[in-house]
Amino acid sequence: MTEDTATDILHATHDALCTHGYAEVTMQDIADEAGLCKASIHYHYDGKHELLLAYLDHLYERFEDRLTGIGGDAPEARLHALLDAFVTGREDAPAFRTALLEIKAQSPYDSAFRDRLERFDEAFSAELRSILEDGVESGAFREDVDPDAIASFLTTFVNGVQTRQVGVGHPPEASAAALRTYIDETLRPSGSADEVESGTEPITTGRSTE
């Protein structure tokens, strides 16, 4: 299989998934999207499951590129940009996230799907943790912020946002705005005007500085 053919099939898999969803998509649907005969798809992949595993591997490579391509020099700018990109950054988000949620629903019963999905989760959490660690070290974030705990929380939050958009149509823009407020009012150093006026301490899910 040439590299161009492989890429065409994987792109076609993405388009077919977005159109038909995981449960209904067929090898014929993918062949139609790729402009190939069904036999050509089966020549390269034994079946839908093998092809979807290859698609997830391809998706992970693009996912890594998105992570490393996030802009911003200051940690808080990088954190905002990263979260914005994965909460609101896809034009095909509803259809794509619906198909991906269907795949995620299979992972408790399919170790191959689960292993690949864990790679996405771990990479995203690791990037968040790295940004948070840089922010704590530079003073951009509170010194009692626990990068491990906050990275885990934000990863869970983003997954929840995507699921809520698929499940009930909740606009991700609202969640993105809430995240920005959380970062600016909770993770940033204490002593801001708002905190002084309210006399409250932000919740940092953090570690003791003693």
Side-chain angles (χ1 to χ4, degrees), residues 119-156:
R119 293 173 66 198
F120 287 90
D121 190 84
E122 291 167 0
F124 188 69
S125 184
E127 183 65 20
L128 287 170
R129 185 165 54 250
S130 176
I131 294 172
L132 290 161
E133 288 171 348
D134 288 347
V136 171
E137 183 177 352
S138 68
F141 300 134
R142 292 166 57 95
E143 64 178 6
D144 59 345
V145 163
D146 184 337
D148 288 325
I150 298 300
S152 178
F153 162 70
L154 292 175
T155 300
T156 300

Side-chain angles (χ1 to χ4, degrees), residues 85-137:
F86 283 90
V87 170
T88 63
R90 294 190 65 103
E91 292 182 1
D92 62 351
F96 170 72
R97 288 173 180 169
T98 298
L100 192 58
L101 183 61
E102 290 182 280
I103 293 175
K104 288 180 178 181
Q106 307 304 310
S107 65
Y109 318 104
D110 189 316
S111 60
F113 279 156
R114 185 182 182 87
D115 288 345
R116 284 160 174 80
L117 293 172
E118 283 179 346
R119 293 173 66 198
F120 287 90
D121 190 84
E122 291 167 0
F124 188 69
S125 184
E127 183 65 20
L128 287 170
R129 185 165 54 250
S130 176
I131 294 172
L132 290 161
E133 288 171 348
D134 288 347
V136 171
E137 183 177 352

Side-chain angles (χ1 to χ4, degrees), residues 173-187:
E173 293 78 12
S175 299
L179 272 179
R180 296 186 72 87
T181 298
Y182 169 77
I183 292 167
D184 292 338
E185 296 186 0
T186 304
L187 301 186

Side-chain angles (χ1 to χ4, degrees), residues 14-58:
H14 175 86
D15 292 340
L17 277 171
C18 288
T19 300
H20 302 282
Y22 166 81
E24 299 298 327
V25 73
T26 66
M27 295 291 273
Q28 185 62 60
D29 294 326
I30 295 168
D32 291 343
E33 289 285 354
L36 299 170
C37 66
K38 183 178 175 182
S40 296
I41 305 293
H42 277 291
Y43 178 79
H44 300 298
Y45 300 98
D46 289 338
K48 174 176 159 181
H49 185 261
E50 182 184 348
L51 176 51
L52 289 179
L53 293 179
Y55 168 70
L56 287 175
D57 290 337
H58 169 71

